[in-house]
Amino acid sequence: MFRIKQWIKMLLQNIVLPLVYFFYSRRPVEPGLVIFADAHHEEIPFSMRRMYDEVRQNGTAAKRDADGIVMTGREADARDGSVMAGREVDARDGSVMTGREADARDGSIMTGEEADAHNCSGSYRIELFVTDFDRLSFGRMAKYLLRFMRRYAAAEYVFICDYFLPVSSCRKRPETKVVQLWHSCGLTKKIAYDADEDIPKGYHGDMFGNYSYLTMSADACVPVHERALRLSREHIFATGISRTDYYFDEKWNERCRENFRKAHPEAEGRRIAVWAPTFRGNAAAPRLEGLDIIRRAAEELKDEWYFVIKAHPHIDRHGMVSTSRIPTEELFPVADVLITDYSSVLFDYLLYRRPVILFAPDLQEYEQARGFYIDYRSIPYPLTRTREELEAVIGGIAGNGCADHGKQDWYAAHAAEIDAFRETYVGACDGHATERILKLVGLQ
């Protein structure tokens, strides 16, 4: 079924969508039309949320119907045919209806973020096309794609943050700017054309050729992505990653801490260890390595440490493994240590300047199958492969955030290496990335 769905997507991608785009692109671009699009989440993803909020401050992202309902997103407005998507906000009582709700008029699915029309003013109009293809029937996916192409043909700006094939289904008109915010910082595992798993088999288009701007977390990431995405360097910019601006926002950090206290009162009095491994396999057959070891370590260290397991959503769909429903990024402010393997969350967490433990029980196998852009063993954090090694490292992390291997304060001893590593791979992330991106693309 997974392969059949992929082939159907390719048929739409290579034939149907280009025809739809060609038809609607004969009309002029609509000045100020800004689209945020994603096909991997049911609500606007964290990687584009900061940018969405900033653009929304200077634009409109909602319409009010006769009953006072404010709506945003991928919903067909029966009055004028415009396309929207998102949450509904009842202006009369402030209630918010979230999730994948069927519109009574045409059965479309609404996902995304609320927007109050009273708080939106300016020359920009925002439309959301945010859904999860893996959760859509073929009919709903086709409807989404056709609607997106219609509005894509008219948009002045399109923001994405992950692989998004509809944007690449045909050559875009030059008046439209496609901004790839990207969903990861730094460099670890190989991606895109450098990896075997990222590009769908049988795909022959130019997946990244329509990008006007690709934003990176540091200069070191630019040449690698130029090669991996086969994208001209003139379209790649080390502006910092928009979502990392949250990590420098103390109000946001405090909200995350408060949410964690409410969701996990049993963690009170213990230090927090977050295990966030990378995604392996594909959506139909995801894999997870090291779960039993982590669970045993959590049991051994439970008097002092509270372990939070955060598996990839595709893993949880096959059986809930995660022990918290709080998004991974919102756990960073409370984590005393991050345990990960090859995931890019490592680079996000670098910005908090707290201990990291590399737990990679399948390092040799993963290295041979996927490969890395950097020497994984040179990353300046403790590398563990067994439960005994993991427990020894985490058990030695002192209250001040440093680990003690015997008589040596490991993290303090490697502070200069860690600082250099941080600067190399996330040096452009300083709390002002979103502002720089807005100026770069001409929205500020």
Side-chain angles (χ1 to χ4, degrees):
M1 180 59 69
F2 177 78
R3 290 186 177 180
I4 292 175
K5 195 172 184 179
Q6 291 299 110
W7 278 108
I8 293 174
K9 286 181 182 179
M10 291 301 102
L11 176 64
L12 285 169
Q13 174 85 9
N14 297 324
I15 299 176
V16 178
L17 301 189
L19 289 175
V20 173
Y21 185 90
F22 173 76
F23 178 81
Y24 284 104
S25 64
R26 293 181 297 175
R27 304 174 181 177
V29 160
E30 297 180 20
L33 175 58
V34 183
I35 289 176
F36 286 81
D38 183 82
H40 305 280
H41 300 82
E42 292 185 277
E43 295 186 354
I44 189 166
F46 183 74
S47 294
M48 63 170 55
R49 187 183 300 273
R50 187 79 173 195
M51 181 62 69
Y52 171 76
D53 287 342
E54 290 296 321
V55 175
R56 191 176 63 172
Q57 289 182 11
N58 297 309
T60 59
K63 288 194 176 183
R64 184 179 300 279
D65 69 10
D67 296 323
I69 302 295
V70 176
M71 301 171 291
T72 65
R74 189 177 46 79
E75 174 199 357
D77 189 313
R79 292 165 298 180
D80 61 8
S82 64
V83 179
M84 301 182 292
R87 296 184 178 178
E88 293 186 345
V89 181
D90 190 323
R92 293 165 294 185
D93 62 9
S95 62
V96 179
M97 296 175 285
T98 65
R100 307 196 312 135
E101 301 182 9
D103 186 300
R105 289 168 294 185
D106 63 5
S108 64
I109 297 172
M110 298 178 290
T111 62
E113 281 298 296
E114 63 178 283
D116 188 331
H118 291 302
N119 296 328
C120 292
S121 61
S123 58
Y124 301 118
R125 299 186 324 284
I126 302 172
E127 296 179 4
L128 297 181
F129 285 79
V130 177
T131 192
D132 185 347
F133 278 179
D134 291 328
R135 290 179 176 267
L136 292 185
S137 66
F138 171 73
R140 288 183 172 179
M141 181 183 70
K143 183 182 290 187
Y144 168 98
L145 290 170
L146 295 175
R147 288 178 173 176
F148 171 79
M149 295 305 292
R150 173 190 168 194
R151 301 306 286 152
Y152 178 31
E156 187 173 8
Y157 300 92
V158 178
F159 285 90
I160 56 178
C161 64
D162 204 336
Y163 298 153
F164 188 75
L165 291 180
V167 157
S168 309
S169 59
C170 56
R171 180 177 295 181
K172 71 173 180 63
R173 60 196 308 172
E175 304 98 310
T176 300
K177 297 179 180 179
V178 174
V179 186
Q180 172 59 270
L181 297 174
W182 208 232
H183 58 283
S184 63
C185 299
L187 298 170
T188 46
K189 61 187 178 184
K190 291 184 177 180
I191 61 168
Y193 289 106
D194 287 346
D196 293 331
E197 299 178 350
D198 282 16
I199 309 299
K201 302 297 183 183
Y203 181 81
H204 301 294
D206 187 354
M207 182 175 287
F208 311 107
N210 277 339
Y211 290 0
S212 307
Y213 307 95
L214 169 64
T215 62
M216 296 279 97
S217 61
D219 288 326
C221 304
V222 172
V224 172
H225 285 78
E226 177 187 15
R227 182 181 71 250
L229 275 61
R230 299 177 184 174
L231 181 66
S232 172
R233 186 172 295 207
E234 65 184 11
H235 297 295
I236 310 176
F237 302 86
T239 57
I241 299 297
S242 176
R243 72 160 184 271
T244 63
D245 289 353
Y246 280 119
Y247 308 148
F248 297 87
D249 184 340
E250 186 50 37
K251 290 183 179 180
W252 182 84
N253 282 297
E254 182 52 39
R255 285 197 298 271
C256 292
R257 289 189 285 264
E258 180 61 26
N259 289 340
F260 183 83
R261 287 191 289 266
K262 291 178 179 178
H264 298 276
E266 70 277 12
E268 185 68 28
R270 289 186 281 176
R271 284 178 287 172
I272 311 301
V274 174
W275 179 50
T278 196
F279 174 67
R280 297 168 173 82
N282 56 51
R287 305 192 310 276
L288 187 63
E289 296 288 339
L291 178 60
D292 290 340
I293 292 176
I294 291 292
R295 285 173 170 169
R296 290 175 63 188
E299 180 64 24
E300 289 291 328
L301 300 169
K302 65 181 180 181
D303 290 340
E304 186 176 0
W305 288 90
Y306 182 82
F307 274 63
V308 178
I309 295 174
K310 281 302 297 182
H312 191 279
H314 287 317
I315 295 289
D316 285 332
R317 288 174 190 169
H318 289 257
M320 191 68 179
V321 171
S322 297
T323 58
S324 178
R325 295 190 180 276
I326 296 174
T328 302
E329 297 86 357
E330 295 179 22
L331 292 170
F332 293 159
V334 303
D336 294 290
V337 63
L338 173 70
I339 304 170
T340 189
D341 44 20
Y342 325 114
S343 173
S344 65
V345 299
L346 161 68
F347 295 97
D348 287 55
Y349 193 69
L350 284 178
L351 299 172
Y352 281 91
R353 300 173 182 268
R354 296 176 190 161
V356 173
I357 299 175
L358 302 176
F359 174 56
D362 63 338
L363 176 56
Q364 185 173 355
E365 174 187 346
Y366 194 90
E367 193 171 33
Q368 293 175 349
R370 180 94 184 200
F372 301 106
Y373 288 118
I374 61 177
D375 180 0
Y376 187 80
R377 294 167 182 80
S378 71
I379 298 176
Y381 289 106
L383 173 58
T384 64
R385 297 181 179 86
T386 67
R387 179 176 63 85
E388 292 77 14
E389 292 174 346
L390 178 62
E391 290 182 10
V393 174
I394 194 171
I397 295 180
N400 63 359
C402 295
D404 181 9
H405 287 196
K407 296 182 180 180
Q408 185 183 33
D409 187 330
W410 197 97
Y411 290 93
H414 294 77
E417 296 173 63
I418 293 172
D419 286 345
F421 185 76
R422 182 189 307 110
E423 179 62 27
T424 298
Y425 294 108
V426 290
C429 300
D430 58 0
H432 302 285
T434 303
E435 178 184 350
R436 281 194 291 270
I437 296 169
L438 286 170
K439 289 181 180 179
L440 175 68
V441 305
L443 275 166
Q444 192 179 81

